[in-house]
Amino acid sequence: MSRFPEEAVRKTRILVIGDLMLDRYWFGDVDRISPEAPVPVVKIARREDRLGGAANVARNIVALGGHATLLGIVGRDEAGRSVAALASESGIEADCVEDESLPTTLKMRVLGRQQQLLRVDFEEHPSAASLDALSRQAESLIASHDVLVLSDYAKGALDRVEQLIAHARQAGVPVLVDPKGATYERYHGATLVTPNRAELIEAVGRWKSEEDLQQRAQELRGKLELEALLVTRSEQGMTLFTAHGREHFPTHAQEVFDVSGAGDTVLATLAVMRAAGEDWTRSADWANRAGGIVVGKLGTSIVTAEELK
């Protein structure tokens, strides 16, 4: 394994566009069952907000030493203000569109004794005017960055993803996509796409063997005109498909505590390493190591350059 390219990483400028979220955690103790219904009563002892979705990708980029510009849509509400404050604290240059007609996407989790008991989601689709504003800001920002990262959580910020990819291609900027849904034609012309196992099954169907997986993955890569396709496979590690063939990276995870946000860490590490001049194989190797570290942490978390060294 090569040394962590610290100096090259510090020079990277990465634009992250996608669905912004606030991950809210309420931690407490459970000592009794409610007399009103057969549910636990959680006495909240601590609250914590973290950046989620595309914002968590940007947070991971900064933690690795790169420069991240973040573009997305938030509501004009308390959660939106929290996203802006957390981004600023993390060293992210946030350039977000405010949409008065929707709430900021919020995932609120209630945990008792470190076990998740409940999740409540607040989300709505952004307006056409907000998408127009996002497109204008994206066009003004893409050319000044080394890599464009598109973090798709199907909340609506990337409804016009085809335009973003086309603009980046015109500017000669590589595009890395974390996809959602079965319609992968939307990502045609991207440089790399990083589906997880379930997402790839949705796109190409179930495979019967590694050879079958390779054939389906390479067909998808060719159809979308991608340089690379990286499939994250949980406890099986990850597999990279390029014009040179297939490379597999076994998992580095010692203990899997929480997989939420692991795809964000993998995507961020890929973007940073690619922007720093690493090839796809080395970039995927670093991303695999980062993913193995982050699944040992609770909730949406980051991996730092120090941990990777």
Side-chain angles (χ1 to χ4, degrees):
M1 183 69 193
S2 56
R3 282 182 59 213
F4 183 82
E6 191 171 1
E7 199 171 316
V9 165
R10 276 202 302 268
K11 296 174 183 173
T12 60
R13 290 181 55 81
I14 298 161
L15 175 60
V16 181
I17 306 177
D19 295 302
L20 306 185
M21 302 178 199
L22 184 67
D23 284 324
R24 177 160 287 168
Y25 296 88
W26 286 7
F27 300 92
D29 297 314
V30 178
D31 294 318
R32 62 193 178 98
I33 300 298
S34 171
E36 303 164 358
V39 295
V41 175
V42 185
K43 185 179 179 183
I44 300 300
R46 181 167 63 90
R47 305 178 188 192
E48 185 179 342
D49 285 351
R50 300 181 189 176
L51 294 171
N56 190 45
V57 178
R59 182 172 166 240
N60 272 273
I61 289 166
V62 172
L64 291 170
H67 175 276
T69 304
L70 177 63
L71 179 55
I73 300 170
V74 294
R76 191 166 290 177
D77 53 16
E78 178 269 335
R81 291 190 292 274
S82 292
V83 168
L86 288 169
S88 178
E89 287 169 21
S90 300
I92 298 165
E93 190 177 319
D95 191 5
C96 300
V97 174
E98 280 192 356
D99 188 332
E100 292 183 31
S101 67
L102 56 71
T104 300
T105 300
L106 170 66
K107 294 181 180 179
M108 191 172 77
R109 298 169 176 89
V110 180
L111 296 93
R113 296 176 184 171
Q114 302 295 309
Q115 296 295 315
Q116 189 175 149
L117 303 176
L118 176 70
R119 193 179 100 181
V120 182
D121 288 7
F122 300 86
E123 62 182 65
E124 282 182 33
H125 218 74
S127 66
S130 292
L131 292 172
D132 289 341
L134 185 139
S135 295
R136 286 193 298 271
Q137 285 176 237
E139 287 186 16
S140 70
L141 289 168
I142 285 172
S144 60
H145 290 79
D146 303 313
V147 169
L148 170 61
V149 170
L150 301 174
S151 178
D152 195 348
Y153 276 80
K155 308 301 182 191
L158 293 180
D159 275 4
R160 302 175 186 175
V161 67
E162 299 93 338
Q163 294 177 15
L164 298 174
I165 292 171
H167 194 79
R169 283 190 70 152
Q170 197 174 7
V173 175
V175 183
L176 279 58
V177 182
D178 187 1
K180 207 72 172 178
T183 316
Y184 275 45
E185 288 76 15
R186 303 172 64 229
Y187 309 120
H188 184 274
T191 313
L192 171 135
V193 174
T194 63
N196 62 30
R197 186 166 48 196
E199 288 164 345
L200 189 66
I201 287 171
E202 204 175 348
V204 302
R206 291 192 176 274
W207 49 89
K208 303 180 184 67
S209 63
E210 287 298 309
E211 291 73 22
D212 187 24
L213 166 60
Q214 181 165 349
Q215 182 178 343
R216 291 171 189 246
Q218 291 288 26
E219 281 177 6
L220 180 64
R221 190 184 67 80
K223 186 168 75 171
L224 300 182
E225 296 187 29
L226 308 172
E227 271 187 32
L229 178 74
L230 182 72
V231 185
T232 56
R233 305 173 68 184
S234 193
E235 73 282 352
Q236 294 179 329
M238 53 182 64
T239 310
L240 176 70
F241 298 94
T242 66
H244 302 295
R246 168 194 183 276
E247 290 179 83
H248 185 71
F249 305 86
T251 183
H252 282 275
Q254 300 300 309
E255 182 181 0
V256 177
F257 189 73
D258 191 341
V259 298
S260 58
D264 299 336
T265 299
V266 166
L267 184 62
T269 310
L270 279 169
V272 165
M273 291 302 163
R274 194 63 178 164
E278 299 281 85
D279 61 20
W280 286 125
T281 299
R282 284 182 178 169
S283 297
D285 197 4
W286 283 114
N288 187 44
R289 288 168 183 268
I293 294 168
V294 82
V295 294
K297 303 181 181 185
L298 175 65
T300 45
S301 299
I302 56 169
V303 171
T304 65
E306 288 302 317
E307 288 175 296
L308 274 184
K309 288 176 194 174

